[in-house]
Amino acid sequence: MKTNNDIIVAPSLLSADFANLQKDVEMINNSQADWLHLDIMDGVFVPNISFGMPVVGAVHKICTKVLDVHLMIVEPDKFIDEFCKLGADVLTVHYEACPHLHRTIQRIKALGMKAGVALNPHTSVSLLEEVVNDIDVVMLMSVNPGFGGQKFIENALDKVSRAKELILKRNSSAIVEVDGGVNLSTGKQLVEAGADALVAGSFVFGSPNPVDTIQDLKKL
Ligand code: DX5
Ligand code: ZN
């Protein structure tokens, strides 16, 4: 999925100004960001509720970047078709929320989207062994999902290496995306460990100049 050796930068809308979403999406459009990361939380799979379908549809209408939708919800299968219609390009479900993960992945791909599988911090990379050839994105959570602005969990660095090993061993074309607590320092370590894509919410939107911050992440 990578077009060059650059890191894919995916700012997370969760940390944007929800009273001025258009302004923040236009900022992303005018930046070097590759993807826009959209966090969907249901208050069940994670202890928080974010935003839902109308927001995704509205953002899709004005966003020129790849829409990277991260479903932190139980029973994601119920909503795969709807997120496709709303404009998701990459649709990521959680391993922990999918008893029939292979079927879920196949449905996402049948609709023409890229399929991602996210792993919570406690979930072993080895559990992806049987599906790594079917997916486009291995997403490693470097915080417990549910909130922006949390501290980076260092163990994610080893998990990136293990995910890359698995991808190589199985000759998979999946990329490794890391989500949570990403800044220039953790981002650099993640890139050194082999990460291909970095999600960054509070670090981008909380910075004095988000466009410059995105550029700094791109240069890692
Ligand atoms: C956390 C979300 C993240 C979040 C990252 O549950 O999945 O995408 O927006 O926020 P930061 O970069 O602030 O840790
Ligand atoms: Zn996310």
Side-chain angles (χ1 to χ4, degrees):
M1 287 182 72
K2 280 205 313 183
T3 50
N4 53 35
N5 287 329
D6 277 1
I7 199 81
I8 292 171
V9 174
S12 170
L13 199 73
L14 192 64
S15 292
D17 177 359
F18 287 154
N20 287 288
L21 270 190
Q22 180 159 5
K23 182 172 144 280
D24 279 350
V25 173
E26 279 166 4
M27 178 280 289
I28 297 293
N29 287 346
N30 294 322
S31 77
Q32 288 183 33
D34 303 276
W35 296 358
L36 178 60
H37 186 84
L38 301 178
D39 287 305
I40 310 298
M41 305 180 186
D42 65 354
V44 179
F45 181 70
V46 288
N48 196 10
I49 296 174
S50 56
F51 49 82
M53 277 104 176
V55 174
V56 177
V59 167
H60 172 60
K61 283 193 190 132
I62 57 170
C63 185
T64 58
K65 307 287 181 172
V66 167
L67 284 192
D68 177 35
V69 177
H70 177 192
L71 297 183
M72 284 162 276
I73 63 175
V74 296
E75 300 187 48
D77 305 71
K78 284 183 182 168
F79 304 105
I80 293 172
D81 292 44
E82 185 65 19
F83 279 106
C84 181
K85 282 188 207 131
L86 288 168
D89 297 297
V90 184
L91 193 63
T92 295
V93 295
H94 266 263
Y95 176 88
E96 302 83 5
C98 297
H100 303 286
L101 184 60
H102 183 269
R103 178 187 290 150
T104 307
I105 292 164
Q106 298 311 323
R107 182 67 193 155
I108 294 172
K109 295 204 305 184
L111 292 170
M113 295 179 285
K114 302 285 184 191
V117 176
L119 301 182
N120 276 339
H122 73 277
T123 304
S124 172
V125 164
S126 61
L127 293 165
L128 291 183
E129 181 128 21
E130 308 307 331
V131 289
V132 75
N133 287 99
D134 297 307
I135 63 181
D136 301 289
V137 178
V138 172
M139 187 195 285
L140 302 175
M141 294 307 300
S142 39
V143 297
N144 283 295
F147 303 92
Q150 302 182 83
K151 190 174 175 296
F152 181 78
I153 298 171
E154 296 280 334
N155 186 51
L157 294 168
D158 280 348
K159 284 179 84 173
V160 171
S161 312
R162 284 195 285 276
K164 290 303 271 195
E165 271 169 33
L166 175 63
I167 287 165
L168 213 64
K169 184 175 95 179
R170 289 281 177 151
N171 207 14
S172 155
S173 56
I175 65 164
V176 176
E177 180 176 18
V178 184
D179 186 7
V182 171
N183 55 36
L184 285 183
S185 146
T186 56
K188 187 170 189 302
Q189 297 174 72
L190 287 165
V191 171
E192 281 167 6
D196 304 292
L198 299 176
V199 176
S202 52
F203 183 63
V204 166
F205 287 97
S207 73
N209 189 331
V211 170
D212 287 354
T213 303
I214 291 166
Q215 190 174 20
D216 292 343
L217 287 166
K218 280 294 290 178
K219 285 194 212 137
L220 283 176

